[in-house]
Amino acid sequence: MSISRHVKGRTLDAAYDYLNWWISGWPGVVMARQGYYISTPELTRPHLSAAEWGFWYGGKPAAKNLSGPDCTSDMIHQGEIRDGGDYQTRMSRVAVWNTVMDEYNYLVRRWNDFMSA
């Protein structure tokens, strides 16, 4: 998220209020219950039960049935394990479209070989 440089006054204050709310903790709970992460897990943790934190962030089997983002239905059943492991393991596998992948140099060399053949 970002704020346009043209925003001024009360609109700018409101934009910062919104950004601050977004990373305040509770929105991270809603995101976690959908299987996503937010940039401030340390602020999210106090709003999650130990069972939820263990499942969504700890990579542990669900200690009990866990509700989804609507808080009314059991989305995760006791004993289920989240694919991909704990938060650290999952985040260590993230690749962003504008990063250089491990095979980049190899592919460039092969492409140059192809073009010069």
Side-chain angles (χ1 to χ4, degrees):
M1 289 189 237
S2 61
I3 301 172
S4 171
R5 67 184 175 127
H6 302 292
V7 176
K8 305 275 188 249
R10 179 63 193 128
T11 304
L12 180 60
D13 293 340
Y16 276 114
D17 288 345
Y18 176 72
L19 291 175
N20 287 334
W21 170 81
W22 191 246
I23 62 170
S24 67
W26 176 247
V29 172
V30 176
M31 298 296 287
R33 289 178 180 158
Q34 296 177 66
Y36 301 108
Y37 296 120
I38 199 157
S39 62
T40 54
E42 68 282 354
L43 297 176
T44 298
R45 188 174 191 158
H47 299 278
L48 289 170
S49 69
E52 289 176 307
W53 182 264
F55 179 79
W56 294 114
Y57 282 86
K60 298 177 182 173
K64 62 179 186 174
N65 289 351
L66 301 174
S67 64
D70 65 358
C71 297
T72 60
S73 60
D74 291 337
M75 187 173 90
I76 306 298
H77 300 286
Q78 184 174 0
E80 281 187 51
I81 299 174
R82 185 171 185 192
D83 290 341
D86 67 330
Y87 175 75
Q88 286 298 114
T89 302
R90 293 172 66 87
M91 290 297 98
S92 68
R93 295 184 186 134
V94 171
V96 180
W97 71 268
N98 64 347
T99 60
V100 176
M101 303 300 167
D102 294 340
E103 35 306 291
Y104 173 77
N105 290 329
Y106 172 79
L107 293 173
V108 168
R109 285 193 309 274
R110 296 294 74 86
W111 180 254
N112 289 334
D113 292 345
F114 172 75
M115 293 302 290
S116 64

